[in-house]
């Protein structure tokens, strides 16, 4: 099973709201990722977690706050977002960040609209 | 800095035509290369990958790609496309074998196959 699940599928929020995106995988993968994909653009890496520790932060604004409660779950907490943050947020996982040759498996994404 | 270039942004083909999508990367070290596909309304799926060994890689759904190190290229091919191949195709590179695991995506190629 190579499934990564994400909830919710769609989210509309105001600029003063606080919301969270959730990602889950049960493949035993130890690396998990958040990407942002704007319309007609490729995915751009935001964060990488390896063994439940944040290892890469691609200079993402602090209004995005990732959290990895355990090896199967990855959250992205959203607060005071801007309309330009509207995008598809993708979660991915891979077996082991430090071993060569692993593949990232992507979830279906959460389509976020900030009003 | 590493980068990936996909020169064909939009490709329109008739069914049964042959397909070749270009992908060039800039990185002088060891690379892992991927092609992902994103069907309309669906999540990113892995088509094929190259890590080492035979530079001609076969993937799912009749796709193949050839890694040519001297040309820094990893072009995707399919001898005969179908209407169901209509999708966006992303080439991606994972550069290096160290602890910085970042997938760098090309800008994508939108393929439309006419029945």
């Amino acid at each position: 099973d190579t499934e990564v699940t994400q909830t919710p599928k769609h989210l509309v929020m105001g600029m003063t709201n606080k919301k969270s995106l959730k990602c889950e995988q049960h493949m035993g993968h130890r690396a998990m990722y958040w990407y942002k994909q704007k319309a007609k653009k490729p995915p751009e890496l935001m964060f990488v977690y390896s063994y439940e520790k944040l290892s890469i932060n691609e200079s993402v604004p602090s209004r995005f706050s990732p959290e990895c409660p355990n090896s199967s779950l990855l959250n992205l907490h959203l607060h005071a977002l801007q309309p330009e943050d509207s995008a598809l947020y993708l979660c991915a996982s891979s077996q082991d960040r430090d071993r060569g040759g692993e593949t990232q498996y992507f979830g279906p994404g959460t389509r976020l609209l900030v009003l | 800095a590493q980068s990936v270039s996909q020169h064909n942004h939009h490709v329109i083909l008739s069914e049964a035509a042959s397909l070749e999508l270009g992908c060039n990367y800039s990185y002088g070290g060891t690379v892992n290369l991927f092609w992902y596909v994103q069907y309309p309304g669906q999540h990113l799926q892995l088509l094929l990958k190259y890590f080492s060994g035979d530079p001609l890689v076969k993937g799912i759904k009749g796709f193949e790609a050839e890694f040519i190190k001297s040309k820094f290229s990893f072009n995707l091919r399919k001898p005969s496309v179908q209407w169901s191949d209509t999708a966006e195709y992303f080439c991606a590179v994972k550069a290096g074998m160290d602890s910085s695991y970042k997938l760098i995506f090309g800008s994508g190629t939108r393929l439309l196959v006419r029945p």
Side-chain angles (χ1 to χ4, degrees):
Chain A
D1 183 12
T2 56
E3 188 178 22
V4 177
T5 59
Q6 291 186 243
T7 55
K9 288 185 178 180
H10 302 275
L11 179 63
V12 180
M13 61 187 290
M15 288 188 285
T16 58
N17 291 159
K18 284 185 180 181
K19 296 287 184 182
S20 296
L21 310 184
K22 296 185 184 301
C23 173
E24 191 167 1
Q25 56 88 15
H26 294 289
M27 297 178 279
H29 290 175
R30 303 313 300 268
M32 296 185 76
Y33 310 79
W34 280 115
Y35 287 83
K36 175 181 178 180
Q37 186 178 20
K38 301 282 279 185
K40 300 183 180 181
K41 296 290 187 181
E44 294 180 348
L45 183 69
M46 299 174 72
F47 302 104
V48 180
Y49 271 83
S50 177
Y51 291 85
E52 300 157 49
K53 293 183 180 178
L54 182 64
S55 59
I56 297 178
N57 177 341
E58 289 286 299
S59 302
V60 179
S62 60
R63 57 185 183 269
F64 295 91
S65 176
E67 178 197 18
C68 191
N70 59 57
S71 60
S72 299
L73 294 173
L74 185 66
N75 298 323
L76 186 63
H77 303 297
L78 314 172
H79 175 55
L81 295 193
Q82 304 297 311
E84 59 264 30
D85 296 321
S86 299
L88 181 67
Y89 288 84
L90 298 168
C91 176
S93 70
S94 65
Q95 186 169 10
D96 188 329
R97 185 175 74 94
D98 292 329
R99 285 165 51 189
E102 69 277 25
T103 298
Q104 290 188 16
Y105 295 94
F106 285 82
T110 292
R111 193 162 297 279
L112 174 67
L113 177 62
V114 182
L115 300 175
Chain B
Q2 302 92 4
S3 66
V4 179
S5 296
Q6 292 181 245
H7 304 294
N8 312 106
H9 297 294
H10 293 89
V11 173
I12 300 174
L13 295 172
S14 299
E15 276 194 316
S18 64
L19 169 72
E20 180 160 3
L21 302 182
C23 173
N24 289 92
Y25 64 92
S26 65
Y27 185 70
T30 302
V31 292
N32 298 149
L33 295 158
F34 306 81
W35 275 98
Y36 281 88
V37 61
Q38 195 168 30
Y39 296 103
Q42 296 190 28
H43 61 280
L44 277 167
Q45 300 174 37
L46 181 70
L47 267 181
L48 47 79
K49 59 188 177 184
Y50 172 79
F51 294 148
S52 62
D54 189 343
L56 185 61
V57 179
K58 293 192 183 299
I60 61 171
K61 303 187 181 187
F63 286 91
E64 65 179 30
E66 185 175 13
F67 170 58
I68 303 179
K69 189 175 182 180
S70 61
K71 295 184 178 180
F72 297 91
S73 70
F74 189 55
N75 293 351
L76 181 71
R77 299 195 293 250
K78 186 171 183 178
S80 177
V81 295
Q82 300 173 316
W83 175 79
S84 58
D85 293 323
T86 294
E88 185 150 24
Y89 294 80
F90 292 99
C91 181
V93 62
K94 169 187 175 285
M97 305 293 279
D98 61 15
S99 60
S100 294
Y101 184 172
K102 180 177 177 179
L103 262 185
I104 301 167
F105 287 88
S107 56
T109 297
R110 286 184 176 267
L111 172 65
L112 172 63
V113 179
R114 290 180 170 156

